């Protein structure tokens, strides 16, 4: 652990010694060794998630149909099943529609 910290500190000092006044925060990537830079830019930044073919409300309706009596939301002792949550969502939708 100490060896890793020493390498990072040495890289940072080297970078700061050669940095221009106009250096940006993104320039700190230059202070990293190749392995660290690859981890930050490629591994940690790999956030690709395939999108569903359905909208959120379509996915929710499918979940309601499949697990109507399962717990959808819980906060402390308060619980709502998917069926109860659907009823509340529909009531809110009607209220918003009537209210304009």
């Amino acid at each position: 652990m100490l060896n890793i910290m020493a390498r990072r500190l040495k890289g940072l000092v080297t970078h700061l010694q050669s940095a221009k006044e106009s250096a940006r925060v993104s320039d700190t990537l230059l202070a990293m060794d190749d392995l660290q830079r690859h981890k930050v830019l490629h591994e940690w930044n790999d956030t690709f998630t395939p999108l569903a073919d359905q909208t959120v409300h379509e996915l929710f309706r499918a979940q309601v149909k499949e697990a109507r009596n399962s717990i959808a939301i819980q906060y402390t002792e308060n619980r709502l099943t998917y069926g109860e949550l659907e009823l509340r969502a529909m009531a809110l939708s009607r209220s918003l529609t009537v209210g304009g």
Side-chain angles (χ1 to χ4, degrees):
M1 177 74 165
L2 189 56
N3 189 25
I4 293 171
M5 291 177 70
R7 276 196 344 249
R8 290 183 181 167
L9 182 58
K10 182 179 177 182
L12 181 59
V13 168
T14 301
H15 175 68
L16 290 175
Q17 288 173 337
S18 64
K20 298 177 184 175
E21 286 184 24
S22 63
R24 296 173 295 210
V25 172
S26 62
D27 291 340
T28 58
L29 289 172
L30 297 174
M32 297 178 184
D33 62 32
D34 291 338
L35 183 62
Q36 291 169 324
R37 192 176 311 106
H38 182 272
K39 183 172 281 195
V40 169
L41 292 177
H42 299 285
E43 293 175 32
W44 291 355
N45 201 31
D46 184 12
T47 58
F48 175 77
T49 303
L51 298 176
D53 293 334
Q54 299 170 303
T55 62
V56 171
H57 70 276
E58 290 170 335
L59 292 169
F60 178 75
R61 283 188 182 150
Q63 185 66 24
V64 170
K65 189 175 184 179
E66 186 175 315
R68 176 170 288 281
N69 295 319
S70 296
I71 301 298
I73 296 175
Q74 178 174 346
Y75 178 73
T76 61
E77 298 301 316
N78 301 312
R79 297 177 182 168
L80 287 177
T81 65
Y82 282 99
E84 293 166 333
L85 184 57
E86 179 187 39
L87 290 174
R88 289 190 182 197
M90 290 187 322
L92 176 61
S93 174
R94 282 192 296 275
S95 175
L96 291 173
T97 301
V98 169

